[in-house]
Amino acid sequence: MKKETTTSDLWTPRSVEDTIAVYQNWADTYDAELAKLGYLTPGRMAEALVQYTAPETPILDFGCGTGLSGAALKSAGFTQIDGTDITPEMLDKAQARQIYRKLWQGTPGSVGITAGSYSVIFAAGVISLGAAPAGMLHVLIEALPKQGLLVLSYNEPTLADESYINALDVALAQGSELVFRESGAHLTGKNMSSDVIILRKV
């Protein structure tokens, strides 16, 4: 019997190659498994973002996966959504949703855009233990224009990892403004919470 990917061993440090393999193998069952587990963070992030930018603002859904985050943005009223992910199998699922204006396969460690191209970058569960490393937070902030917004989430395992907390502290010390932070349900089936965080580049 196939072992569920969403067991606790998901949130462990791994190489880029291993991370891609995890999500390649997970693409076909990802949506169903997360629906069963009550995955609420993308919706919470999108609803938080409504307070800070207009519905027609172009948004980059970074690490878009199968498009669950794009679907959350659409449900919140956003209309100009582009996406990128490093896993082609996930991008195929995202493409089928017909939510995104454009989609492209990204390169690990890079945003894949000209700096300042998007005033909002949305990264649901991307900068987290077992996914992108903590240093990706700085890379995403650098890709924003002045006053641009980075919307991200830290789940419980990530909040317990010193490297991710340090990355957030450094971002704030270097001038990013914390405009929103709220703890709430992440995976209701696991009684796991996450922090939704919005940073403004100043």
Side-chain angles (χ1 to χ4, degrees):
M1 184 176 177
K2 176 181 173 290
K3 183 181 179 183
E4 281 196 356
T5 309
T6 45
T7 51
S8 59
D9 62 359
L10 177 65
W11 298 289
T12 57
R14 59 171 60 86
S15 69
V16 171
E17 293 77 15
D18 286 347
T19 298
I20 292 172
V22 164
Y23 286 94
Q24 283 176 330
N25 295 331
W26 198 5
D28 285 341
T29 60
Y30 184 86
D31 288 7
E33 287 185 26
L34 289 186
K36 182 180 177 181
L37 287 168
Y39 181 40
L40 300 182
T41 297
R44 291 175 49 224
M45 293 171 63
E47 290 299 331
L49 180 59
V50 167
Q51 305 172 57
Y52 300 101
T53 196
E56 66 274 13
T57 301
I59 297 172
L60 175 61
D61 184 7
F62 181 79
C64 64
T66 63
L68 288 177
S69 44
L73 286 164
K74 182 180 178 181
S75 293
F78 294 102
T79 59
Q80 308 295 317
I81 309 165
D82 299 335
T84 183
D85 198 273
I86 61 173
T87 310
E89 290 81 358
M90 288 281 189
L91 283 172
D92 287 344
K93 304 293 184 183
Q95 182 70 56
R97 292 180 184 272
Q98 299 184 329
I99 289 171
Y100 296 93
R101 299 185 306 174
K102 59 182 178 179
L103 286 162
W104 68 90
Q105 185 176 346
T107 303
S110 171
V111 187
I113 60 172
T114 301
S117 299
Y118 293 87
S119 61
V120 178
I121 297 177
F122 193 89
V126 178
I127 307 168
S128 64
L129 193 63
M136 199 66 206
L137 179 64
H138 176 73
V139 176
L140 292 179
I141 291 170
E142 285 298 298
L144 287 167
K146 295 290 186 182
Q147 302 302 307
L149 299 174
L150 173 60
V151 190
L152 69 145
S153 61
Y154 274 7
N155 58 29
E156 282 185 38
T158 303
L159 287 165
D161 187 280
E162 186 176 357
S163 66
Y164 289 91
I165 298 304
N166 287 345
L168 183 57
D169 288 344
V170 168
L172 295 173
Q174 291 179 344
S176 293
E177 177 189 1
L178 179 64
V179 298
F180 181 92
R181 184 168 185 173
E182 182 178 80
S183 180
H186 175 52
L187 296 173
T188 58
K190 286 187 173 293
N191 295 314
M192 182 181 289
S193 66
S194 64
D195 282 12
V196 169
I197 300 166
I198 302 180
L199 302 176
R200 178 179 285 118
K201 182 177 179 178
V202 295

